[in-house]
Amino acid sequence: MSTPGYPISIKKSGVSTSFTGEACSNTTGNTYLIDDTNKRVFDRDVTPTFYANGVAILAADIVSIDYLYGKVTFTGSETEPITVDGAYMPMVEVAGCKEGTLNRTSAIHDYTDTSNAGYHTKMTGLHDVTITVGRFDDISHAFTDLIVSRTPVVIEYSPAPTKSYRGWFICENSGQNLDLNALIDESLSFQLAGNDELGKTFSRSDQ
């Protein structure tokens, strides 16, 4: 089934904001999701503290934290209510966006030798993600400022209402197309800002 392009949504993060005592709900098994949809992008530089009925849960009892979707998975069952203290990145729509592309790549390395009997043997190397955005320019310096400040931001790419990708990106390019017979267009490109474990740098959701 084809999907129309109009549901696309591209957002970027604002300034990190702290929160305390936010409620979390069980999704499946021992996984919990912060209830407030506006606070589901955790600041990856602030380690959240989770509580089971008011008692802090030890790091050893946590399997993983998905910082980009506000989810945590515990090693076993915990006594509810589950709450969390931490910081989140408020997300705002990239104004005037008219198109966008997300590319996920994986380097492929060949390690064929004479024992491979005529077939190439390959393995997966480094992964990478890039985003490009086309938009109507609002004559602001918002994205140029990101380049100058070297500040990473969270970018959300949602090709459909129930499918989204989020990751920490660095703005690589911000350029304008000047045409007397058309509106001024701005082209943006973003490179993934890595160096973090899974769930901090890039993640996806089908909810």
Side-chain angles (χ1 to χ4, degrees):
M1 179 179 177
S2 297
T3 301
Y6 63 82
I8 186 174
S9 171
I10 298 177
K11 301 176 182 178
K12 73 178 183 69
S13 67
V15 179
S16 176
T17 306
S18 62
F19 62 79
T20 58
E22 288 292 332
C24 301
S25 295
N26 180 256
T27 58
T28 180
N30 297 317
T31 299
Y32 286 79
L33 173 70
I34 186 172
D35 290 346
D36 192 333
T37 57
N38 295 317
K39 299 176 181 177
R40 287 183 177 171
V41 182
F42 291 170
D43 184 343
R44 64 177 175 176
D45 294 324
V46 178
T47 303
T49 302
F50 293 90
Y51 300 86
N53 197 25
V55 179
I57 298 172
L58 299 177
D61 295 326
I62 297 175
V63 175
S64 63
I65 301 173
D66 189 332
Y67 283 72
L68 289 160
Y69 284 95
K71 293 188 291 187
V72 61
T73 300
F74 303 119
T75 57
S77 60
E78 297 288 347
T79 304
E80 296 186 3
I82 303 297
T83 58
V84 58
D85 296 346
Y88 74 100
M89 309 296 292
M91 303 296 292
V92 294
E93 191 97 20
V94 177
C97 170
K98 62 177 183 177
E99 60 184 357
T101 302
L102 180 146
N103 285 315
R104 291 162 292 167
T105 60
S106 179
I108 304 298
H109 302 295
D110 191 314
Y111 69 104
T112 308
D113 59 23
T114 55
S115 67
N116 293 104
Y119 291 91
H120 282 282
T121 304
K122 300 177 181 180
M123 66 167 49
T124 300
L126 296 175
H127 300 289
D128 200 5
V129 184
T130 60
I131 288 180
T132 57
V133 178
R135 63 192 291 268
F136 298 119
D137 188 37
D138 60 4
I139 318 299
S140 74
H141 301 289
F143 291 99
T144 302
D145 290 344
L146 286 179
I147 295 175
V148 173
S149 67
R150 298 180 172 88
T151 304
V153 293
V154 177
I155 299 292
E156 176 183 310
Y157 180 92
S158 301
T162 58
K163 184 177 184 180
S164 65
Y165 305 86
R166 290 174 183 167
W168 280 90
F169 289 87
I170 296 172
C171 189
E172 175 188 32
N173 175 272
S174 172
Q176 284 76 32
N177 177 39
L178 307 178
D179 187 340
L180 183 63
N181 296 310
L183 297 174
I184 298 176
D185 290 341
E186 182 175 31
S187 60
L188 305 168
S189 61
F190 298 89
Q191 296 279 348
L192 191 68
N195 287 332
D196 288 310
E197 64 266 24
L198 184 67
K200 274 192 175 183
T201 296
F202 185 76
S203 189
R204 59 166 286 184
S205 175
D206 293 324
Q207 298 178 341

